[in-house]
C-alpha cells in the first residue's frame, strides 16, 4: 500500500509546507530525505507515494483530503505582529504558533456553524476603543462593559479563580477565549483574531494564571481597537514606533481595567507607605493579592503613577523573570521524576473555554451533532464527553 503513488497537485505540497511554517531542510530532516527530494515532490519532478503523503500530513497537521483539493485554499492572513523587532521574534512564526493560529480560525468557523444549527446568532462585539483615547478612561469603560465592581473582584482573589472569573465575563461579551499549547512564552504570550462576531483571544497556557489574566485583558483591548495581533506584552523592548505605541496603550488600559487608578492609589498599603520610591516585597504582594494581578503588573502601575522609578521597575522585572525561570526548571525536573497525569476532560474545558464547550455540548444534547462529532470537537475520547459535561455543569 505504501508504494501506491499519491496523485496530487504539487502546488498543494508547497502550500501545506509554507502554511505550516517549515523549511525544505526541516522537512527533509524529519523524513530522513535530501532537500532535493522535497523540492522534486513540490515541483512534480518526482513521484510521492501514499506512505510519504501520510507522513507529511501528520507533520503539517492536515487531513489527507486537503492534498486533493483542486487548488490551495485561501487562508486568512496572520494577525498583525506587535512583538519584538526583526532579528528577535517579529515576523517569524514557528510551526507551533502557526498551528494555533489556524486552530483558532477553524474553531471560530465551527462555532459559527454550531450557532447556525441552533438558529441563533452570536452577539456582535463592539469596537469601541481608540488608540488616541485616554487609557485610564478606557480601562474604566472595559470594567463597565464587563460588569465588574471592586468588591466582586476582591472576592475572586488571585491566580486561577480570578483568571476564570475575568474570562467568563469576556466570553459573555461574545468573545472566544482559547488557551494554546506548545508555544514558548519567548515567542508569544497571546494573540487576537478580530471579527464582528466571535472574535478570538488566544492565551499561552505556559503563563501563570495572573499573567494569563493580564494578557487576556491586553488582547481584549486589541479586539476593541479592531486590529488583530500577536503579542509578547512587552512595551519597552525596541520595535516599530506604532507597534510600541499600541502595546504601551494596551498595557496601560489592561492595568487600568485590573487596577483602577483611584482604587489603586487609595489602597491602605499605598496610603501607609513611607513615601520613598522603593517598595518591599511584602507591600507589592499585598497589592497584587488585592487586585488579583502579578507583582510585575503592580510595580509597573506604581511607576506609571510616579510612585516608583523606571529603574526600580526594571530591577523587579528582572527579579521576577529569574524567579519564573527557576520555577519552570524546577517544575520540569519534577515532571521528569513523576509525570503528571493529565485530566483530558478538564483540559478540554480549560483550553477551549466555556462558551465554545457549551455550544458543542448543547448541539450534542439536542442531537444536532453525534457523539463522535462532539468527541472530535472537544478533543477527547467519546467515553469522556460525559465527563466534560459534568465538569462544565459543576464549575
Amino acid at each position: 500500500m505504501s508504494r501506491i503513488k499519491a496523485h496530487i497537485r504539487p502546488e498543494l505540497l508547497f502550500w501545506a509546507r509554507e502554511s505550516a511554517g517549515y523549511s525544505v531542510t526541516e522537512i527533509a530532516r524529519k523524513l530522513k530525505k535530501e532537500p532535493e527530494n522535497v523540492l522534486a515532490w513540490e515541483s512534480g519532478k518526482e513521484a510521492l507515494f501514499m506512505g510519504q503523503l501520510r507522513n507529511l500530513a501528520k507533520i503539517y497537521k492536515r487531513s489527507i483530503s486537503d492534498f486533493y483539493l483542486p487548488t490551495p485554499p485561501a487562508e486568512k492572513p496572520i494577525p498583525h505582529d506587535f512583538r519584538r523587532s526583526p532579528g528577535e521574534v517579529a515576523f517569524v512564526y514557528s510551526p507551533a504558533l502557526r498551528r494555533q493560529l489556524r486552530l483558532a480560525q477553524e474553531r471560530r468557523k465551527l462555532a459559527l456553524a454550531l450557532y447556525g444549527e441552533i438558529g441563533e446568532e452570536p452577539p456582535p462585539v463592539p469596537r469601541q476603543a481608540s488608540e488616541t483615547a485616554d487609557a485610564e478612561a478606557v480601562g474604566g469603560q472595559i470594567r463597565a462593559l464587563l460588569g465588574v465592581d471592586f468588591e466582586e473582584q476582591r472576592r475572586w482573589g488571585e491566580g486561577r479563580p480570578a483568571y476564570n472569573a475575568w474570562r467568563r465575563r469576556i466570553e459573555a461579551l461574545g468573545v472566544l477565549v482559547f488557551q494554546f499549547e506548545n508555544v514558548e512564552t519567548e515567542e508569544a504570550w497571546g494573540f487576537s483574531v478580530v471579527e464582528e462576531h466571535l472574535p478570538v483571544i488566544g492565551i499561552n497556557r505556559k503563563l501563570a494564571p495572573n499573567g494569563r489574566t493580564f494578557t487576556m485583558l491586553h488582547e481584549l483591548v486589541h479586539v476593541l481597537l479592531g486590529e488583530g495581533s500577536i503579542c509578547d506584552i512587552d512595551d519597552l523592548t525596541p520595535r516599530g514606533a506604532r507597534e510600541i505605541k499600541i502595546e504601551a496603550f494596551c498595557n496601560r488600559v489592561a492595568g487600568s481595567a485590573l487596577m483602577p487608578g483611584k482604587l489603586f492609589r487609595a489602597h491602605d498599603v499605598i496610603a501607609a507607605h513611607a513615601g520613598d520610591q522603593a517598595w518591599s516585597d511584602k507591600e507589592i504582594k499585598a497589592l497584587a493579592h488585592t487586585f488579583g494581578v502579578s507583582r510585575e503588573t503592580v510595580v509597573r502601575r506604581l511607576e506609571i503613577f510616579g510612585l516608583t522609578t523606571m529603574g526600580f521597575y526594571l530591577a523587579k522585572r528582572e527579579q521576577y523573570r529569574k524567579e519564573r525561570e527557576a520555577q519552570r526548571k524546577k517544575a520540569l525536573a519534577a515532571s521528569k521524576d513523576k509525570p503528571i497525569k493529565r485530566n483530558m476532560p478538564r483540559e478540554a474545558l480549560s483550553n477551549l473555554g466555556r462558551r465554545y464547550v457549551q455550544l458543542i455540548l448543547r448541539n450534542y444534547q439536542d442531537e444536532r451533532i453525534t457523539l463522535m462529532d462532539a468527541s472530535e470537537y472537544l478533543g477527547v475520547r467519546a467515553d469522556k464527553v460525559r465527563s466534560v459535561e459534568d465538569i462544565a455543569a459543576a464549575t
Side-chain angles (χ1 to χ4, degrees), residues 80-97:
H80 190 92
D81 198 337
F82 286 89
R83 297 173 301 163
R84 297 185 295 279
S85 301
E88 296 183 46
V89 297
F91 313 117
V92 177
Y93 315 104
S94 71
L97 179 56

Side-chain angles (χ1 to χ4, degrees), residues 77-94 97-98 101 183 185-194 218-219 222 227-234 237-247 250:
I78 289 175
H80 190 92
D81 198 337
F82 286 89
R83 297 173 301 163
R84 297 185 295 279
S85 301
E88 296 183 46
V89 297
F91 313 117
V92 177
Y93 315 104
S94 71
L97 179 56
R98 285 176 178 268
L101 290 166
V183 177
T185 55
E186 288 77 10
E187 182 176 14
W189 281 36
F191 62 77
S192 57
V193 177
V194 173
H218 174 106
E219 295 301 335
H222 277 288
E227 183 169 22
S229 63
I230 303 176
C231 301
D232 57 16
I233 320 299
D234 178 0
T237 305
R239 66 201 70 195
R242 181 170 182 275
E243 283 72 20
I244 204 163
K245 177 184 177 184
I246 297 295
E247 289 300 86
C250 292

Side-chain angles (χ1 to χ4, degrees), residues 261-275:
K262 186 176 180 180
L263 296 172
F264 182 74
R265 301 183 75 164
H267 193 283
D268 291 346
V269 167
I270 293 179
H273 187 68

Side-chain angles (χ1 to χ4, degrees), residues 320-350:
Y320 302 148
R321 185 195 67 77
K322 289 180 178 179
E323 289 176 5
R324 288 195 301 269
E325 181 63 18
Q327 290 169 357
R328 187 189 70 81
K329 289 180 179 179
K330 184 178 180 181
L332 185 61
S335 66
K336 289 181 179 179
D337 295 335
K338 188 178 180 180
I340 299 173
K341 186 176 181 180
R342 299 180 67 178
N343 184 327
M344 298 309 294
R346 190 169 295 279
E347 282 191 31
L349 182 60
S350 178

Side-chain angles (χ1 to χ4, degrees), residues 163-171 177 216 350-353:
Y163 167 65
N164 288 335
W166 282 101
R167 184 179 183 181
R168 286 191 184 193
R169 295 299 174 89
I170 292 172
E171 288 181 325
V177 181
M216 184 168 56
S350 178
N351 286 343
L352 298 176

Side-chain angles (χ1 to χ4, degrees), residues 29 46 90 105 195 270 288:
R29 188 183 305 117
E46 187 174 311
Q105 293 281 10
E195 301 285 354
I270 293 179

Side-chain angles (χ1 to χ4, degrees), residues 85-128:
S85 301
E88 296 183 46
V89 297
F91 313 117
V92 177
Y93 315 104
S94 71
L97 179 56
R98 285 176 178 268
R99 169 65 173 161
Q100 295 302 325
L101 290 166
R102 193 169 83 230
L103 275 175
Q105 293 281 10
E106 291 173 356
R107 288 167 178 161
R108 178 182 174 273
K109 287 180 181 178
L110 174 61
L112 287 170
L114 292 175
Y115 265 108
E117 286 294 318
I118 60 177
E120 294 181 10
E121 187 174 278
V125 176
R127 298 181 186 177
Q128 59 180 37

